[in-house]
Amino acid sequence: MDATTLAAAPAAIEIVALTKRYAQGRPAVDGINLRIASGSYCCLLGPSGCGKSTTLRMIAGHESVTSGDVLLDNRNITDLPAAARGTAMMFQSFALFPHLTALDNVAFSLKMKGVAKAERQARARALLDRVAMGHLAERKPAELSGGQQQRVALARALITEPRVLLLDEPLSALDPFLRIQMRAELRRWQQELGLTFIHVTHSQEEAMALADTMVVMNHGLIEQVGSPHEVYNRPASEFVARFMGGHNVIDTAAGKVGVRTDHLQIARTAEVLPPASSHMRAVVTDVEYQGTYVLLGLQKAGAALSSHATAEYSVMVSEEAFAASPYQVADEVLLHWTPDRAHALGPATTPATASLEPA
Ligand code: ADP
């Protein structure tokens, strides 16, 4: 979805001052406001424990709201039961019933609602046809590939004709190869169905690959909302820059700035610096060959360099440039960047290091 379409689209979901407090102390979700455009793919992204799933569960009606509102198509659904909201949920590893055929998996919720067998089977079959699975309707999950299982799970979620599909880390239990295939499929189905998808993930790469809109959360708050391009190129805060990766956070006289790893340059002497560029002295701490480029880790010059110094900054040097002028650990260099490559970073909501725990 392009930016203009996205901005013009009505909101499918609107979240107003939404708060969840499980216990005393800091709320798990702390008064967030968010508008999710109809027909868009939205990813809620952030480190483990930042409140993504709680937010999703409050939209789904699987978690009560402490305060605030959830609107779907301008209808306040905050106090409605899950089944009456117009949302459906897709879970990790698809959570299909292993003993039921694809058809019966898809028809299951209609059976629970008391829909007659002929009708529920006809509706399930139509949906399986829609996701190109009609010919495998009689198979059980174990007889289907990962991709086919995902399509059955999608059909099962769609049988209640939801306006919004909620996906809670649907890909995180898959092996890396399958995960990349499945996310491409998810994106295709979202576009083909024209539905609003809200997908929770802790993977920056997954969110960037899928989302029209990324919502970066930290400690129950929203740090930034934007397209993957906006969030990656203009991280709003130090937290976002560090969490997204691929950025250097540099203290300058004017405050903290972010410079992308591929936009930071390295030189041996000041004579070669472009006019109006900023620079700092640094020492090489790591040299890693990565194929098309060499990744250099560096520390600010002047700090005591120990054998287990961790890199504060990183620079990508093309394989060719590196071959022409190789750098070694302990080399003293100049890191430089032009003003158009640096942008100011706002303060993190809380100290970024505290929330970079592995998911
Ligand atoms: P995320 O999905 O981003 O990993 P969660 O929304 O699951 O984060 O959790 C946010 C915070 O709320 C965490 O500190 C977590 O420990 C806490 N939390 C989540 N669910 C419960 C619960 N049912 N009871 C108490 N605390 C919870």
Side-chain angles (χ1 to χ4, degrees):
M1 200 180 247
D2 64 64
T4 322
T5 321
L6 198 63
I13 290 281
E14 234 177 309
I15 287 173
V16 185
L18 191 65
T19 298
K20 178 67 190 185
R21 194 181 285 278
Y22 287 109
Q24 286 302 308
R26 206 186 174 109
V29 175
D30 199 356
I32 62 171
N33 294 291
L34 181 64
R35 178 188 183 283
I36 299 171
S38 180
S40 68
Y41 204 120
C42 174
C43 283
L44 304 183
L45 172 70
S48 180
C50 72
K52 310 177 291 290
S53 300
T54 300
T55 302
L56 198 76
R57 291 203 304 268
M58 288 194 284
I59 298 172
H62 296 163
E63 190 67 75
S64 66
V65 162
T66 304
S67 60
D69 290 293
V70 180
L71 282 70
L72 190 151
D73 291 341
N74 285 321
R75 189 168 57 110
N76 196 326
I77 59 167
T78 317
D79 299 318
L80 292 184
R85 292 185 166 218
T87 57
M89 194 96 170
M90 207 165 125
F91 295 97
Q92 204 178 74
S93 309
F94 322 131
L96 295 172
F97 299 118
H99 58 290
L100 295 184
T101 62
L103 188 74
D104 289 338
N105 262 287
V106 176
F108 185 78
S109 68
L110 297 183
K111 187 176 181 181
M112 293 294 99
K113 283 186 176 172
V115 175
K117 185 167 183 179
E119 187 193 336
R120 66 179 193 250
Q121 292 210 334
R123 280 171 62 185
R125 206 169 279 284
L127 260 180
L128 282 172
D129 282 341
R130 186 142 177 219
V131 296
M133 282 294 293
H135 62 302
L136 300 175
E138 302 308 329
R139 291 220 187 148
K140 297 206 171 140
E143 298 160 343
L144 298 170
S145 73
Q148 292 165 341
Q149 289 180 33
Q150 174 164 280
R151 280 187 260 160
V152 175
L154 190 60
R156 189 179 58 175
L158 296 179
I159 196 99
T160 56
E161 299 178 352
R163 297 276 303 125
V164 176
L165 186 64
L166 306 171
L167 305 100
D168 195 358
E169 302 257 12
L171 308 176
S172 61
L174 305 178
D175 71 66
F177 180 73
L178 196 57
R179 195 181 308 150
I180 288 169
Q181 275 192 326
M182 295 302 96
R183 80 178 181 217
E185 266 222 22
L186 270 186
R187 181 69 182 150
R188 263 201 307 280
W189 286 117
Q190 185 269 333
Q191 283 171 340
E192 193 162 316
L193 299 162
L195 273 181
T196 310
F197 277 30
I198 308 178
H199 176 137
V200 161
T201 178
H202 59 267
S203 160
Q204 300 85 336
E205 187 195 308
E206 190 169 299
M208 290 215 284
L210 284 169
D212 294 306
T213 305
M214 276 167 65
V215 178
V216 186
M217 295 185 68
N218 182 26
H219 288 298
L221 297 167
I222 294 175
E223 288 266 341
Q224 187 168 8
V225 178
S227 68
H229 185 269
E230 282 163 350
V231 172
Y232 192 72
N233 284 287
R234 307 197 65 79
S237 65
E238 181 182 349
F239 169 80
V240 178
R242 291 197 192 279
F243 182 71
M244 292 306 295
H247 283 80
N248 289 285
V249 176
I250 303 174
D251 266 320
T252 68
K256 262 191 183 138
V257 297
V259 183
R260 272 170 49 169
T261 301
D262 55 336
H263 290 164
L264 194 62
Q265 309 276 319
I266 187 166
R268 293 190 190 273
T269 60
E271 290 85 75
V272 301
L273 301 188
S277 62
S278 304
H279 69 270
M280 62 181 286
R281 295 197 313 115
V283 181
V284 176
T285 57
D286 300 286
V287 179
E288 280 184 2
Y289 181 64
Q290 303 270 324
T292 55
Y293 63 92
V294 178
L295 189 67
L296 299 180
L298 302 109
Q299 261 195 345
K300 205 177 220 154
L305 195 66
S306 73
S307 56
H308 38 259
T310 48
E312 288 177 79
Y313 309 106
S314 31
V315 178
M316 289 164 73
V317 181
S318 76
E319 192 185 22
E320 283 170 26
F322 189 84
S325 172
Y327 291 94
Q328 290 178 336
V329 170
D331 279 0
E332 291 216 11
V333 298
L334 291 165
L335 292 179
H336 61 100
W337 62 95
T338 51
D340 59 317
R341 295 302 202 187
H343 59 270
L345 297 173
T349 316
T350 47
T353 45
S355 47
L356 285 175
E357 73 217 36

